Amino acid sequence: LTVQAKGCRVSHHYICKADPAGDQWRVDFDLKGPYFLSRINAETEWLQSIDLTSGEDIRLVPGPADPASFTGLTTTGADSYDFTQSAAGGGAIRYIGSDRLTGKKTVIDGVELEETAFEFREETPSGRLIGTASGQEFIHRGWRLFFSGPSTWEGDEGRERFLDEAAALSAAWTAGADAGLDPASDEAQALAQRHVDWLSGIPGTRG
């Protein structure tokens, strides 16, 4: 399935026979070519996403507190979720939110889609707020897919800073361990203080 969005962006949805039944992949293209790859399962849980520009690989942490459920959404009209994703380079983000059917339908290129309303918040593993989002999406029951709609995001800059610094700290600690860095050294203590400053300086959190 290929979907043309506004802004000259194209998304191609496909499956691989070697994957578990119900898994689907999506690759997004812009004028420069493919830039994002993601994988979901039959319940539309976000299993993996890869930024093809930076190489950042983010995956679902096993055993979510409240797994997303496409089946639950389509049978009851609403679904909540609470899960965590971690980046290969360090850092994790917890997502807590919900989707609900609004009862509205729209037809695009002859395909009927159902409108949903969503809202969620992003937190660090310690519970510090990173950002929030809300808006509308569209689903197709047969394809078991969500399609983006208008949304409002708050806290994007804080999220990016959090992930960038998490990756940098992870790399610094790894380099220190490989070099045999003494935990009592000034360098190690400075790195530890930087880690504390990172945790306490996330936007939207109490100091």
Side-chain angles (χ1 to χ4, degrees):
L1 172 67
T2 300
V3 178
Q4 171 74 58
K6 294 181 179 179
C8 295
R9 192 190 77 187
V10 172
S11 297
H12 182 61
H13 302 260
Y14 63 97
I15 61 174
C16 293
K17 290 184 178 180
D19 290 339
D23 279 17
Q24 299 188 61
W25 291 86
R26 187 189 92 219
V27 60
D28 294 338
F29 298 79
D30 61 13
L31 293 175
K32 296 180 180 179
Y35 65 90
F36 180 77
L37 178 67
S38 67
R39 179 182 181 181
I40 60 173
N41 62 14
E43 293 299 338
T44 65
E45 290 184 277
W46 189 11
L47 303 180
Q48 181 181 11
S49 66
I50 302 173
D51 185 325
L52 299 178
T53 302
S54 67
E56 183 179 40
D57 188 343
I58 299 176
R59 303 192 181 208
L60 177 69
V61 175
D66 182 9
S69 173
F70 191 84
T71 300
L73 174 63
T74 54
T75 55
T76 69
D79 177 56
S80 63
Y81 50 82
D82 182 348
F83 62 88
T84 300
Q85 293 183 325
S86 63
I93 294 180
R94 180 184 179 189
Y95 295 86
I96 306 168
S98 63
D99 297 301
R100 64 176 177 83
L101 296 174
T102 66
K104 299 178 181 179
K105 297 181 180 181
T106 187
V107 177
I108 300 176
D109 289 340
V111 177
E112 184 177 85
L113 304 173
E114 296 177 66
E115 183 186 80
T116 70
F118 75 87
E119 58 180 8
F120 67 81
R121 68 182 187 272
E122 299 173 326
E123 298 181 352
T124 67
S126 63
R128 297 171 183 261
L129 180 66
I130 299 174
T132 62
S134 61
Q136 284 76 46
E137 291 182 305
F138 303 92
I139 65 165
H140 189 285
R141 293 182 184 239
W143 296 337
R144 300 185 75 84
L145 287 173
F146 280 86
F147 300 97
S148 297
S151 61
T152 300
W153 296 76
E154 296 182 6
D156 280 350
E157 292 183 2
R159 181 179 187 276
E160 291 303 317
R161 285 197 300 270
F162 171 74
L163 289 174
D164 289 346
E165 182 64 358
L169 283 167
S170 177
W173 282 118
T174 299
D178 291 343
L181 183 65
D182 182 353
S185 68
D186 290 344
E187 184 179 354
Q189 292 301 306
L191 183 56
Q193 184 58 53
R194 177 181 165 191
H195 209 136
V196 172
D197 292 343
W198 167 67
L199 288 171
S200 62
I202 297 171
T205 65
R206 289 174 288 181

